[in-house]
Amino acid sequence: MIVKDSAMKRKWGMAIDLDKCTGCGACSIACNQENNMPIFEDDSDVPKRVAFLELMKVTNDRDAKFPDVKTAFLPKMCQQCEGNAVGKHKADPPCVSVCPAVATDVGDDGVVSQIWSRCIGCRYCQTACPYEARVFNWWKPEYEGSFKNSLSTDVSVASRGTIVKCTFCSHIWKRERDKATANGILDINAVLYTPACASACPTGAIIFGDLNDPESEVSKLAKSDRAVRLVNTVDDETPEKQKALMSKKQYANPKVYYLTSQKWLRDMMRFKKNS
Amino acid sequence: MRRSLLLFFTPFILFAWIFFGISQKGCQDVMQADAAKKIPFSHKTHVEKYGITDCETCHGYEENGRFKGIPTVGECTVCHARDGVTTAQDHLTPRKKTMFDSYKDSDKPWTSWAKQPDLVFFSHKVVMTAQFKDGRKKARCGSCHGDKANSTDTGMIKGKMLMGQCMDCHTALNISNACAVCHD
Amino acid sequence: MKKIDRKDFLKIGGGAVVGGLAGYTLSGAPFLGFQWLVEWSQDQYVPAPGIEKYVQAVSDSCTNGCKVSVRMIGNRAVKIESKDGVCPACLNGLQLLYHPERISTPMKISGKKGSGNYQPVSWDQALKDISSKMNALVNEGKANTIAAVNKNESLNGQLMEKFVRNAGSNNVYYEPSLNSITSNALGGYVKYDFAKTDFILSFGAKLVEGWGNAVEMQKQFLNWKKNNVKIVQADSVCTRTGGIANEFVGINPGTEAVLAFGMANYLITAKRMTSSGDDFAKWSQLIINKYPLGKVAKLTGVAEDKIKKLADDFAAAKNPVAVAGKGAHGVSGSSAEIIAVYCLNTLVKSGAATLVKNSAVSYTAEFAGLDKFIKEGSFSMMFLNGSDPVYKSVYGEELKKKLEKAFVVAIAPLMNDSAVYADYILPPLSFLEAETPESKPAVKALKESKDAKEIIISLAAMVDKTKNALPKTSADAYKSAGRETAGGKFSFNFEKIKADIEAYEKKLGQNAEYPVTLVPYEAPLVGDGDGLAFPYVLKSIDPSVLNLGKFYVMMNKETGKKHGFSEGSSIKISSARGKLGKAYVHLSDVVAPETVAIPLGFGHESYTKYGNEKGLNPKKIMTADVDPLTGAADWWSTRVKIS
């Protein structure tokens, strides 16, 4: 069966149910393995650590005292910002507009790509990223001895002095696309995939899918009342001001939605005034 | 005046020629364009004599759609049978080739010139199956590999294939040129 | 002919230079050179290509035996995937398989014990040496000086138990686990039916963080959310389980048992509930006399009304269950606590907690448990079957001295703090290389390593007394694997734990010399230390645990202020048993007042270069009172002083 090809209609997005997350860390291990993360003897230099997914521990001890405290985990990766199209400017995530080397760009499926071989290592994008989701290879990625055997051929190992980041495992999409083509399916919109973190999650807390498809689980979740995005620049404003800010070009407009019905967790995802 | 032109251009031409020669030889050495060929092969003979017009006869795909690249000796000996005849009246009969004797079926005696850079996600199958609405193929082997059908050796295409060449085709065929289409 | 003057000479030279450059440029060499330069500057490692395929494997990272599919590129395994959601310990299997420090041949010690100097030997020689040593001991009538410590109750643990018992020794121990300590305290381990319960009262059990059967618990957790099961977590550190609980009851450290006493007291006296366990009358009498609600409230820091409300809610639920068991991986052995919590289940006649046994695993040995054996027992030969008691036991230092004098055989894929004292180290396969009845090996075995089951079987075949005791092949071993059977009758074991119940009061009272309490907590993936050899685990450690090489302990903000600590200031912790090295303070109110919470699983001494010298091992200073029933140390909370 040959299905005719067509333009990409998908817009990948993610919904992470923080109430379902137990903080087991499977997503982190799966991500590191899938993306050939470099191996270091001491990886405790957290700001310079090369990892796409950070399993952040969130507690409400800023606002509460023992025993009214709560603990949760928040898997944080590149939020695949969409930005806003304003006037003649096309929609751009904060990182893409500052890149002088066109090393990072928005793909047809909305995924923000990062091509390390084009990267000149200026780190503007790292500075521009509101989520600290981009990491810089301060050292050459090394894999001691037989660890090299566990490297996937789908993700090329970056060289020193370049920025890398989560791309929603876009290589898995390409892998699936090529597999589909081999089976005669030429319609790229027929290709669905699941990133490593989402498929590793034992509680199904990470849901991945097409935000353009109103029937997909992720777009339903994104519209639910429990959904909250990490956009604290606008969170505390009045509704009118919020609307105005959200239509500005600089608005990040991320495509990762966190789901929680816990008020404290929503509060902790915002800046507290005067704190 | 003519003398001074002569004084300048004689060494100019001489040195241009010498340096061009040396540098090009150097380039070809680096790119191994003249590396010894263990087994001679003529594409032209195979295409014209045996009428193999489909490149995929030898340069096919694995089951999962992965491009095989250069065929193995095992695939050559499907026609050039190891226990076949060494001479035949009919020039269309594939003969046994003694040069395969020292190879196992899984060997690939030819070096692959074209190497896919590690950071490119490229599938021959995808490019070769892409079609226009009327069913014509969007790309042929020759689009990138040149006129192999008329080559009489296993030499490489001159020069490297750069990203621009991919992008030209993508632009012409209205295929997206976003980075993530090929790179990860 | 005119003479060539200086001007002409320059012309000739200029022509040569310009000509040379032109020729060089036109040949394309500079462009090629530039490309080559670019590639050279990006000298990244390119993984070897191969054909992609998926193969099946069965994990043995824990006793659950999850089925996983392994993504292969050529003959390399590059990813472990599963549709059922496996725990991270299983995902780490890949880094164990390809660990550069994996032991690949049998090794014999070639230096002082503990120095880590080994030389490779052949399997024949290793097995011959070990079996002749064992034969000699059996023949001398010293069979009981042979001991074994198993990591868990997996099939190779069961085989090891059979092997050593048949050789004539009663000294087979398991690293303290939820199953082993509850079995010893209750006469069987508790099988919880979490699918049927509507109210879970957890006494510090880290239910969703790896406690019990981690994979199963993740599934149950989703059910609880769906069915609105009420979860109450009583703990002195609010971990993720505290976060998901409907109600978090903050208690003073080490008072889980006291809270259970109080609730039992209330249910017995005010609600007239009784338990069917033996010795209930005596036990209840003691609890009623010793732990009236007022005192319990004072000791636990939970108000009297709150305890009553909790007990009422618990008793009123349709099918409530009370759960004991401490950490996600680390367990502590207080049988008084386990019995008190289980008593609550019997009081309300919970249908969700039954006692069961494994037919192939008996937790009865010469001594009640591993810690007691290390403390009081002696041995001349020791099998360490994947276990690391030197690191995990509070008696690690004592065990080191005993291991130095004995003949020690370790079955271990990586060097660890215990294996470094072994005379012989035998390398087992990782689960990706092992064959099971349901799967073929995913990858070729590394060099000379062998399936742990086969190692034990071939050893047994060479020892005269055990020649016919074990299955002949590892395939046969699967057929003889243990099954779950009904457990024994629940007894309060009053006489044995009487003293311990009374001791709680003393332990929790004011202590001028050691004013604060040290409790452990577990960071994701690190658990109680097994994860630390794997670089991708190191990549996931939160900066509030390990940051820039600094090891952090958590302390309540008020307590920090009171004792003069601020965020990031250095802290020295010492208990009656000794001192810990330098740590740093992370102030956080997820910890109870007057408490210091220290991450478990750090401070290895010989656990590969990735696991070594990171943080501190709190077990070195944790209290070492051995419980009379479980034979394991009750080390979870320790009085310390801080400076």
Side-chain angles (χ1 to χ4, degrees), chain A residues 6-44:
Chain A
S6 54
M8 187 69 184
K9 290 198 191 94
R10 306 247 175 235
K11 185 169 87 179
W12 303 119
M14 194 179 265
I16 305 177
D17 193 334
L18 299 177
D19 298 345
K20 275 190 192 169
C21 173
T22 61
C24 71
C27 51
S28 171
I29 299 275
C31 172
N32 289 331
Q33 238 152 35
E34 183 69 43
N35 290 293
N36 293 346
M37 287 291 101
I39 283 166
F40 296 110
E41 205 177 312
D42 180 2
D43 229 331
S44 66

Side-chain angles (χ1 to χ4, degrees), chain C residues 188-193 342 345 350-356 487:
Chain C
Y189 57 88
V190 192
K191 192 179 180 190
Y192 296 101
D193 193 352
Y342 192 70
N345 284 328
S350 165
T354 42
L355 296 180
V356 290

Side-chain angles (χ1 to χ4, degrees), chain C residues 261 265 268-269 281-296 494 501-502 505:
Chain C
F261 296 153
N265 186 348
I268 295 164
T269 51
K282 285 188 211 160
W283 185 83
S284 56
Q285 206 52 53
L286 180 70
I287 295 299
I288 292 163
N289 291 338
K290 274 275 171 192
Y291 293 96
L293 279 192
K295 196 195 264 175
V296 170
F494 180 69
I501 294 174
E502 283 168 341
E505 205 181 335

Side-chain angles (χ1 to χ4, degrees), chain C residues 580-601:
Chain C
L580 271 187
K582 195 151 101 179
Y584 297 84
V585 172
H586 169 55
L587 292 176
S588 171
D589 273 351
V590 296
V591 185
E594 300 299 317
T595 307
V596 177
I598 189 166
L600 265 190

Side-chain angles (χ1 to χ4, degrees), chain A residues 18-26 28-30 32-34 36-47 49-51 54-57 59 61-62 64-67 69-73 116-117 140 143-159 175 179 196 199-204 262 264, chain C residues 42-45 47-49 52 54 71 73 76-82 85-86 88 91-92 94-95 98-100 208-209 218 221-222 225 235-236 238-240 242-245 248 250-251 521 524-525 535-544 546-549 554 556-558 587-593 609-610 614:
Chain A
L18 299 177
D19 298 345
K20 275 190 192 169
C21 173
T22 61
C24 71
S28 171
I29 299 275
N32 289 331
Q33 238 152 35
E34 183 69 43
N36 293 346
M37 287 291 101
I39 283 166
F40 296 110
E41 205 177 312
D42 180 2
D43 229 331
S44 66
D45 190 349
V46 181
R49 185 189 273 171
V50 182
E54 193 185 341
L55 189 64
M56 293 171 77
K57 186 176 161 188
T59 59
D61 68 343
R62 180 189 69 186
K65 285 205 180 327
F66 191 86
V69 284
K70 292 273 180 194
T71 297
F73 287 91
W116 69 261
S117 64
K140 187 183 168 193
Y143 307 88
E144 190 197 354
S146 44
F147 272 147
K148 289 193 184 76
N149 287 336
S150 66
L151 295 186
S152 157
T153 45
D154 290 345
V155 179
S156 94
V157 175
S159 71
R175 201 157 85 197
K179 244 184 238 167
S199 55
C201 182
T203 56
Q262 305 282 321
W264 73 267
Chain C
Q42 300 174 343
D43 64 337
Q44 10 86 271
Y45 176 76
E52 179 201 30
Y54 280 87
R71 195 168 116 83
I73 299 289
R76 305 184 292 120
V78 300
K79 182 99 190 295
I80 295 174
E81 291 171 4
S82 167
V86 290
L91 298 180
N92 279 333
L94 195 60
Q95 292 220 315
Y98 291 128
H99 204 291
V208 298
E209 293 157 65
Q218 303 273 21
F221 165 58
L222 294 178
K225 281 184 70 65
D235 205 345
S236 49
C238 181
T239 62
R240 181 61 184 136
I244 62 124
F248 175 71
I251 55 170
Y521 77 97
L525 300 168
Y536 288 159
V537 170
L538 300 181
K539 238 183 219 318
S540 316
I541 296 175
D542 198 81
S544 68
L546 196 67
N547 190 12
L548 285 164
M554 286 202 294
N556 189 287
K557 285 176 189 163
E558 295 279 306
L587 292 176
S588 171
D589 273 351
V590 296
V591 185
K609 71 173 178 190
Y610 297 98
K614 288 190 172 71

